[in-house]
Amino acid sequence: MTEKKDKERLLYRGQYFLGQIKIDLPDWKHIPVGEKGWLSTHPDMNIVNVEENGFSATALGFLLDPDRPEERDEAILKRLCLASADGESFIRSTDSLGGRWLIFLSGHEVDLVFPDAGGTLTLFYHMDSAKHIWMAAQPGLLAEQLGFAESKESIEYTNSPRFIERHEAWWPGECSPYAEVKQLLPNHLFDFTTNKTKRFWPYQKL
């Protein structure tokens, strides 16, 4: 029984799921996030929430500040909240951070999520007919929960010589194996007030 439970724990290890339902997987944590529904996380996914200076900031993954390597995620988030006047200044204040993370940020007239500079903690999303947003770390988790089938274009692409010859799978732009699912690109945010993505860096012409 213990071996079975250990194997179940490895399924979707370190991933997350956001939507109108609590994902039914063993030992996952569930946090209510207002109209967005529930943020469900694998037991091995680190999650920290801070409410300061009119902001509510929730970080998934881990944050690293090279100037303060001893600081934990909570301390970093709190400092960013206290030092920021609005959503834009909060995002800019993360420029020097390393790590692998997503930050859900609300308050000061913003409600959004954005990734670390490399987009290393991936975000895939789907908007349903009722305009509800569903998000997950991998498209397969969305497909399993929402009943999506791999698209014809995806099957043709994965069977192509170019795809087979590559050592790493690569999907162009926002594409995923499912027509209903898109990927959030690095240096882009998802705005829950408009249900649209937006590039936030660079801040001005280079």
Side-chain angles (χ1 to χ4, degrees), residues 135-160:
M135 294 180 168
Q138 294 295 331
L141 185 51
L142 285 169
E144 180 178 287
Q145 295 297 313
L146 302 178
F148 300 144
E150 187 176 0
S151 68
K152 177 184 175 183
E153 292 79 8
S154 170
I155 294 171
E156 291 176 352
Y157 177 52
T158 54
N159 287 332
S160 68

Side-chain angles (χ1 to χ4, degrees), residues 90-91 94 101-103 105 112-116 184 188-189 200:
F90 186 101
I91 292 172
T94 66
W101 49 265
L102 285 171
I103 294 179
L105 182 69
L112 52 87
V113 58
F114 68 102
D116 60 78
L184 183 68
H188 285 65
L189 60 81
F200 63 83

Side-chain angles (χ1 to χ4, degrees), residues 59-187:
L60 301 180
F62 65 94
L63 307 164
L64 294 174
D65 187 336
D67 297 322
R68 302 174 179 85
E70 74 284 354
E71 274 196 348
R72 301 283 183 106
D73 297 340
E74 186 173 359
I76 295 172
L77 268 188
K78 183 175 181 178
R79 177 163 46 80
L80 298 182
C81 288
L82 291 173
S84 302
D86 51 32
E88 182 179 351
S89 58
F90 186 101
I91 292 172
R92 290 192 181 211
S93 69
T94 66
D95 281 358
S96 63
L97 297 182
R100 181 175 182 265
W101 49 265
L102 285 171
I103 294 179
F104 289 83
L105 182 69
S106 61
H108 292 270
E109 301 183 356
V110 299
D111 188 9
L112 52 87
V113 58
F114 68 102
D116 60 78
T120 55
L121 183 50
T122 52
L123 187 157
F124 290 84
Y125 66 95
H126 164 73
M127 183 169 67
D128 64 23
S129 58
K131 306 298 184 182
H132 292 136
I133 299 299
W134 304 78
M135 294 180 168
Q138 294 295 331
L141 185 51
L142 285 169
E144 180 178 287
Q145 295 297 313
L146 302 178
F148 300 144
E150 187 176 0
S151 68
K152 177 184 175 183
E153 292 79 8
S154 170
I155 294 171
E156 291 176 352
Y157 177 52
T158 54
N159 287 332
S160 68
R162 173 182 285 272
F163 187 92
I164 293 171
E165 288 169 4
R166 294 182 67 90
H167 295 294
E168 279 190 46
W170 174 78
W171 292 88
E174 297 179 319
C175 292
S176 84
Y178 310 95
E180 302 88 348
V181 179
K182 293 182 178 180
Q183 180 174 195
L184 183 68
L185 299 175
N187 301 315

Side-chain angles (χ1 to χ4, degrees), residues 11-96:
L11 183 64
Y12 302 119
R13 185 173 186 269
Q15 295 190 34
Y16 65 87
F17 183 89
L18 181 144
Q20 296 297 306
I21 59 172
K22 293 181 181 179
I23 195 168
D24 186 21
L25 288 169
D27 301 324
W28 277 49
K29 296 172 283 188
H30 310 286
I31 300 170
V33 283
E35 294 182 359
K36 293 188 283 291
W38 296 88
L39 178 59
S40 301
T41 57
H42 184 276
D44 292 342
M45 167 63 80
N46 186 48
I47 179 169
V48 174
N49 174 258
V50 167
E51 298 195 12
E52 288 283 357
N53 190 29
F55 288 108
S56 177
T58 301
L60 301 180
F62 65 94
L63 307 164
L64 294 174
D65 187 336
D67 297 322
R68 302 174 179 85
E70 74 284 354
E71 274 196 348
R72 301 283 183 106
D73 297 340
E74 186 173 359
I76 295 172
L77 268 188
K78 183 175 181 178
R79 177 163 46 80
L80 298 182
C81 288
L82 291 173
S84 302
D86 51 32
E88 182 179 351
S89 58
F90 186 101
I91 292 172
R92 290 192 181 211
S93 69
T94 66
D95 281 358
S96 63

